[in-house]
Amino acid sequence: MNPEYRSITGTFDILPDTSTTDGASDAPSSTWRYIEDVIHKVMQRFNAEEIRTPILEPTPLIARGVGAYTDIVSKEMFAFERGDTHYVLRPEITAPVVRAYLQHHLDQRGGVQKLYYIGPCFRAERPQKGRYRQFHQFGAEIMGTDDPRADVECIALMMAIYEEIGLSGLRLRLNSVGNPASRARFVEALQNYLEPYRHELSETSLQRLEKNPLRILDTKAQHEQEILQDAPVLLDFLDEESEKHYAEVKTLLQDLEIAFVEDPTLVRGLDYYTHTAFELESADIGAQSALGGGGRYDLLAQELGSKQAVPSIGFASGIERLLLAMEAQGIEAPAAPAVDVFLAALGDEAQRWVFRWAQQLRAEGLSVGLDLRGRSLKSQMKEANRQRAEYTLIIGGNELEAGGAQVKHMESGEQEEVAFDNLVAYLQRRIEA
RNA sequence: GUGGCCGUAGCUCAGUCGGUUAGAGCGCCAGGUUGUGGCCCUGGAGGUCGGGGGUUCAAAUCCCCUCGGCCACCCCA
């Protein structure tokens, strides 16, 4: 079609089936629904409550809540201005949830707030496998406690969803970035260590050295990796409190028999991230191997203006990557439901009869298909077949006269006459089973 | 933002030493069955050969530009 009207690069349509692939999700809408159903179900099991926030947020919220020196904020935001308001299409959902928590004083509901979300996010990156400009995240935030059990419950919740879907062989990486005091000491040590290597560092790493030193740790540059071989290790700088929190998290994970590997290079770069950081990886979904990740952010609420600390932990996962992992492991979602009964009509009078009966049967809760083009009976039968109708009613002049419909069971091909008066009961009885 | 690969029907693809009206299978529509789907047979619709420009008597085929897709880098979901 005219390129001017095509869907935007990096976005895709989710269609009823997968008969076309250009600019469409590889998975049909029924598969998306299935995944969403699983998410809702598992979240419910963990007594998390759904929250829905706007897709449009004020740019300063994201800049502050995600971090000005992150790639997301510095180069990947879809942001624009109207009048004196700066808008951004949300690149993630944690900051908006914290915003909503503070704006609506959710702490006043009492207790820990366990909130979850599913929805689209936007980042202006070059698309590739598992990466899109509009993509879909689900996640949960457990807010109002710094108890390590919250960390583990958050991880357990995330894992339970993948478990329920049936994925296996995933790798959970775990680390602690400590509290601000211990991290500050580590950052100083890291900066001191790297000082002599300054001239060997890339431009971005040099910038990070000043603004956001932790992120140097996850550099991919071979040479910088080598330099970092002998660098100070974050875990060695944890103070007693941080050490204790981390140890507790590991113990609790073991109690729940959730396997993990410790990875000291796994970091969350910004100051308001504390303690636990984790990421869930799959080896078979391409270069973008992270299915989901998260961590503790005890200081974010204050960053956004809260007088009180709201110690919290959350995770976020990508639905597109979940789909990739399902495909790689041959996991199929249930097929979209078929119609219960298709009404085939022959002749004008029968058409009117069928049109009314479709409405009635639907009111009885049956899903009903019918012809809207006045086509031949044969065509209508083909249509019924395509819609995978369980039963097809055939109504023509003979049936109207006899006061009963021909009811055909499509799979067996068996057909019998059923009086109009008994139709609803007949169909309901058979279709329930 | 950078790099590599790829764009022929709705889908999967054939057709490229340049040469008459661009093909197949599947799907779609219709007929064979004047009231019956799935199998089979027959016919039909559907293509700016991604787009623009150039070379040529002649371009799906060669050249340039451009758009789109895929994959990778950076980084993340």
Side-chain angles (χ1 to χ4, degrees), chain A residues 106-119:
Chain A
L106 295 186
D107 58 314
Q108 295 301 309
R109 304 168 76 216
V112 168
Q113 301 302 311
K114 212 184 284 177
L115 303 171
Y116 80 92
Y117 56 80
I118 307 176

Side-chain angles (χ1 to χ4, degrees), chain A residues 43 98 118 138 140 144 154 172 182 237 259 274 286 304 427 432:
Chain A
M43 290 291 184
V98 173
I118 307 176
F138 63 91
C154 180
L172 178 66
S182 47
F237 287 76
T274 52
L304 296 178
L427 290 171
E432 286 317 311

Side-chain angles (χ1 to χ4, degrees), chain A residues 94 117 138-142 147-160 162 171-178 218 245-246 249-250 253 258-269 273-281 289-297 312-317:
Chain A
T94 298
Y117 56 80
F138 63 91
E141 314 291 344
I142 302 178
D147 194 307
R149 285 180 300 171
D151 303 40
V152 174
E153 180 140 282
C154 180
I155 292 170
L157 171 49
M158 177 178 81
M159 298 304 288
Y162 293 95
R171 197 167 75 116
L172 178 66
R173 292 191 296 141
L174 184 73
N175 193 25
S176 170
V177 296
D218 58 23
H245 187 99
Y246 188 45
V249 166
K250 286 188 284 185
L253 281 172
I258 295 173
F260 62 90
V261 293
E262 292 187 71
D263 180 353
T265 70
L266 177 63
V267 291
R268 285 287 179 274
Y273 288 106
T274 52
H275 300 295
T276 311
F278 59 91
E279 209 166 289
L280 185 66
E281 283 185 332
S289 58
L291 287 166
R296 180 161 277 287
Y297 51 94
S312 305
I313 183 153
F315 82 90
S317 284

Side-chain angles (χ1 to χ4, degrees), chain A residues 114-225:
Chain A
K114 212 184 284 177
L115 303 171
Y116 80 92
Y117 56 80
I118 307 176
C121 295
F122 304 82
R123 293 183 198 172
E125 294 183 278
R126 194 74 160 257
Q128 73 185 72
K129 188 172 186 179
R131 164 182 292 165
Y132 304 91
R133 289 188 174 172
Q134 174 173 344
F135 60 103
H136 299 78
Q137 283 196 340
F138 63 91
E141 314 291 344
I142 302 178
M143 309 181 68
T145 174
D146 60 4
D147 194 307
R149 285 180 300 171
D151 303 40
V152 174
E153 180 140 282
C154 180
I155 292 170
L157 171 49
M158 177 178 81
M159 298 304 288
I161 290 168
Y162 293 95
E163 175 97 1
E164 184 75 20
I165 296 280
L167 288 170
S168 56
L170 307 180
R171 197 167 75 116
L172 178 66
R173 292 191 296 141
L174 184 73
N175 193 25
S176 170
V177 296
N179 59 17
S182 47
R183 200 169 51 243
R185 284 186 290 120
F186 168 71
V187 165
E188 200 185 332
L190 182 65
Q191 283 170 328
N192 288 338
Y193 171 81
L194 287 174
E195 197 54 42
Y197 299 101
R198 254 181 173 282
H199 59 284
E200 297 180 44
L201 296 178
S202 68
E203 201 171 316
T204 50
S205 286
L206 276 176
Q207 271 174 17
R208 285 173 186 170
L209 193 56
E210 303 300 327
K211 310 280 193 191
N212 194 359
L214 280 189
R215 279 200 49 215
I216 292 183
L217 294 181
D218 58 23
T219 179
K220 298 271 165 48
Q222 186 73 37
H223 183 61
E224 298 187 353
Q225 292 262 25

Side-chain angles (χ1 to χ4, degrees), chain A residues 309-346:
Chain A
V310 184
S312 305
I313 183 153
F315 82 90
S317 284
I319 294 183
E320 288 79 2
R321 293 184 186 178
L322 172 53
L323 283 165
L324 285 174
M326 285 170 69
E327 195 182 357
Q329 299 193 10
I331 296 169
E332 289 194 19
V339 299
D340 295 322
V341 51
F342 189 93
L343 305 187
L346 219 95

